[in-house]
């Protein structure tokens, strides 16, 4: 059984930083696409950043230069370092497992397993 558990969310002021973690069991971050997605109330779920089977990454334009995805294969854990947070970053953030590919996909519909989410709130 595949299970993902996110942590690290919280409430911060604009300009602050947070580091999200996603511990995966029943699958491996090294052999499947992994991604961070977010969803705000009343809006569609959107891809924030994804990483492929290897090290290939794709970032959404609105987070380039501010967010960084990484994975620790030994710990089977995915991370998202978020710097210079903005109020518009406020959302529920989800970790997900996708297909076994080197080139990752940004579409949430391609991902099969999801964590419970962790809330990120950024105030002005």
């Amino acid at each position: 059984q595949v299970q993902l558990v996110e942590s690290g969310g919280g409430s911060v002021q604009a300009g602050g930083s947070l580091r999200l973690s996603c511990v995966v069991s029943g699958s491996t971050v090294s052999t499947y696409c992994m991604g961070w997605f977010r969803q705000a109330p009343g809006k569609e779920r959107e891809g924030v950043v994804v990483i492929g089977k290897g090290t290939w990454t794709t970032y959404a334009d609105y987070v380039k230069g501010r967010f960084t995805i990484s994975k620790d294969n030994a710990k089977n854990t995915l991370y998202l370092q978020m710097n210079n947070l903005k109020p518009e970053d406020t959302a529920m953030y989800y970790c997900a497992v996708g297909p076994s590919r080197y080139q990752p996909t940004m579409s949430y519909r391609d991902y099969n397993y999801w964590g419970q989410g962790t809330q990120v709130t950024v105030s002005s």
Side-chain angles (χ1 to χ4, degrees), residues 26-115:
S27 187
T28 55
V29 301
S30 64
T31 56
Y32 293 88
C33 290
M34 298 293 300
W36 286 102
F37 298 81
R38 69 187 189 187
Q39 187 167 24
K43 295 187 177 182
E44 292 185 352
R45 186 167 300 190
E46 60 184 8
V48 178
V49 56
V50 293
I51 186 167
K53 185 177 180 179
T55 59
W56 190 333
T57 59
T58 301
Y59 290 83
D61 288 341
Y62 53 81
V63 304
K64 288 180 179 177
R66 299 191 298 123
F67 292 8
T68 304
I69 191 172
S70 63
K71 56 183 179 182
D72 187 327
N73 294 338
K75 295 181 178 180
N76 210 33
T77 301
L78 186 74
Y79 302 96
L80 180 64
Q81 178 65 48
M82 304 185 293
N83 297 325
N84 191 26
L85 284 160
K86 303 176 180 180
E88 50 263 45
D89 292 321
T90 296
M92 184 72 75
Y93 283 70
Y94 299 91
C95 174
V97 177
S100 184
R101 300 171 183 172
Y102 286 100
Q103 181 175 4
T105 171
M106 285 282 284
S107 175
Y108 73 87
R109 295 178 178 84
D110 294 330
Y111 289 77
N112 310 115
Y113 302 98
W114 297 82

